[in-house]
Amino acid sequence: MSELRLLALYPEQMNIYADRGNVIFLRERCRWRGLGFSYTAAGIGEGFDPDAHDLIYIGGGQDRDQLMVAEDMRRTKRDAISSALADGSSLLAVCGGYQLLGSRYQLGDRRIEGLGLANLETVREEGERLIGNVSIEVDLGTGPRVLAGFENHGGRTYLGSGAEPLGRVLHGNGNNGKDGFEGVLRGNLIGTYLHGPLLPKNAWLADELIARAIE
Ligand code: GLN
């Protein structure tokens, strides 16, 4: 039977705005279609087998949660994530999880080192948090589609050279409220600021991730 093997990273720490709803939605979507679904969680101090998962997921978190998991993530999970991606697994990272894919999250004098899996960096700048409803236009190779969600982040993310955004902002702020980009897309790696939770709000994206996993 075709099966989606999902790995959730730090589900206890990295789950705000009900980001775990993305996991529940993937499970139910598979069940409704007669597809298998397996769920594994990897928390603090836990490694994982890079060959055993089709989709790796990490949700959003407060700055203090990100501080708590960042060093652990680099130490216990970075190499496995990298090798899973190289072997065709997908990665979906939301907000705080997305920020940790980059090289750093700079909060004044404090620097949270990221995984360096995408060429981007996040900086907490002067000014209001970027909060509100967002819509973006994306194309994952199947034509232009819209993603809708909710953002709430103090960090501003800037893509480095060669990094592609997930989409272009139609409404809201996106990565930094300035350049019109939202998220990052690199092969099967997707990072985005969109909560909602994202997948129940945008069922087509859940289906795209499931299709990639069982292909
Ligand atoms: N703590 C991060 C920020 O405020 C991410 C917040 C989130 O995941 N919603 O920028």
Side-chain angles (χ1 to χ4, degrees):
M1 181 171 82
S2 297
E3 183 184 39
L4 171 66
R5 299 169 307 164
L6 180 74
L7 172 72
L9 303 182
Y10 306 103
E12 300 301 321
Q13 293 85 4
M14 300 298 281
N15 166 51
I16 51 174
Y17 302 117
D19 283 341
R20 72 162 56 91
N22 290 324
V23 172
I24 297 166
F25 192 70
L26 286 166
R27 184 190 70 205
E28 292 304 297
R29 205 89 181 150
C30 286
R31 192 170 63 82
W32 294 333
R33 299 236 162 81
L35 300 169
F37 176 87
S38 71
Y39 172 83
T40 310
I44 298 282
E46 294 171 336
F48 65 89
D49 175 359
D51 297 326
H53 312 283
D54 308 300
L55 174 61
I56 301 171
Y57 170 69
I58 180 163
Q62 318 261 11
D63 294 349
R64 65 168 179 273
D65 301 320
Q66 291 171 276
L67 258 173
M68 213 188 304
V69 306
E71 188 270 330
D72 186 80
M73 199 169 170
R74 286 197 315 278
R75 192 165 45 81
T76 65
K77 299 177 182 59
R78 192 201 176 284
D79 292 349
I81 296 172
S82 211
S83 119
L85 283 171
D87 272 356
S89 301
S90 300
L91 170 67
L92 174 64
V94 174
C95 201
Y98 162 44
Q99 294 171 338
L100 294 180
L101 300 183
S103 54
R104 66 175 173 130
Y105 177 18
Q106 192 74 39
L107 295 134
D109 293 341
R110 208 166 45 182
R111 176 186 172 114
I112 302 179
E113 297 290 335
L115 297 181
L117 291 172
N119 187 13
L120 58 90
E121 59 180 26
T122 301
V123 184
R124 177 62 75 86
E125 294 166 358
E126 292 294 308
E128 303 281 301
R129 294 182 68 82
L130 305 178
I131 304 175
N133 293 318
V134 202
S135 59
I136 64 172
E137 186 175 75
V138 309
D139 189 344
L140 297 179
T142 50
R145 303 287 304 248
V146 172
L147 284 177
F150 173 79
E151 63 183 333
N152 183 351
H153 49 110
R156 270 79 164 157
T157 296
Y158 296 94
L159 301 179
S161 67
E164 296 287 329
L166 170 63
R168 292 190 178 266
V169 174
L170 300 172
H171 177 87
N173 293 291
N175 280 346
N176 50 54
K178 291 176 215 148
D179 61 19
F181 294 145
E182 205 294 312
V184 70
L185 177 65
R186 189 165 70 76
N188 280 344
L189 173 154
I190 294 176
T192 178
Y193 272 112
L194 272 58
H195 301 280
L198 174 69
L199 298 181
K201 259 207 159 119
N202 303 279
W204 71 267
L205 179 59
D207 289 345
E208 175 63 29
L209 293 170
I210 294 168
R212 288 180 184 192
I214 63 179
E215 246 165 27

